[in-house]
Amino acid sequence: MGRRILNDALRTIVNAEKRGKASVELKPVSTVMSSFLRIMKEKGYIKNYQVHDRHRVGRITVDLQGRVNDCKALTYRQDLKAKEIDQYTERTLPTRQWGYVVVTTPDGILDHEEAIKRNVGGQVLGFFY
């Protein structure tokens, strides 16, 4: 169920970007989704996001920037060792210059560059470019 929630939210962001919308509202809320959005904000793919009423069903309002071309969550979480992350990003992302793979690690949810720096592996959560 949790993986489906993230995938639906990311597909909603991509569809809103294609239609040229300035913001989008995502329901329901999960902590994994807010961590994924935090990474997207740090990398400059979205302007900002706000979590409303987190303890109930909740919703997240995301201010879009127009940079997201594609964004997907994997329904299966593939295990990756720290040495395999670079090979996986080469296979998944269209080029080396842009795009990020999001990995859940014992250190938290990180993008692939940070996971390589910390030399930590984990499970692939999704990617965006």
Side-chain angles (χ1 to χ4, degrees):
M1 177 99 182
R3 295 174 189 153
R4 179 94 178 161
I5 290 171
L6 179 63
N7 195 28
D8 290 345
L10 297 179
R11 296 315 302 163
T12 303
I13 290 173
V14 170
N15 290 336
E17 287 271 6
K18 287 181 181 176
R19 288 188 178 92
K21 304 240 177 174
S23 67
V24 66
E25 198 170 274
L26 308 174
K27 295 182 210 174
V29 177
S30 72
T31 55
V32 173
M33 187 189 313
S34 59
S35 298
F36 201 100
L37 292 173
R38 177 185 48 82
I39 292 173
M40 289 180 78
K41 182 182 174 188
E42 288 172 2
K43 301 302 178 183
Y45 281 79
I46 60 174
K47 286 182 188 173
N48 198 7
Y49 71 95
Q50 292 179 334
V51 181
H52 304 284
D53 202 14
R54 173 179 302 213
H55 299 292
R56 304 191 79 198
V57 174
R59 63 188 164 89
I60 297 177
T61 305
V62 180
D63 297 329
L64 303 174
Q65 198 162 336
R67 281 195 63 198
V68 178
N69 294 321
D70 198 10
C71 191
K72 292 181 184 173
L74 300 180
T75 53
Y76 61 94
R77 295 206 178 144
Q78 185 176 357
D79 292 331
L80 284 180
K81 295 178 183 173
K83 295 179 261 183
E84 299 171 348
I85 293 175
D86 204 28
Q87 292 174 333
Y88 185 82
T89 56
E90 287 177 10
R91 279 195 323 249
T92 308
L93 299 176
T95 65
R96 285 179 162 269
Q97 284 82 20
W98 41 280
Y100 296 93
V101 174
V102 180
V103 182
T104 59
T105 66
D107 293 350
I109 297 177
L110 308 171
D111 64 286
H112 71 276
E113 292 175 346
E114 188 68 27
I116 290 171
K117 256 188 237 176
R118 294 186 185 186
N119 195 26
V120 66
Q123 293 181 329
V124 177
L125 187 60
F127 58 90
F128 60 93
Y129 54 87

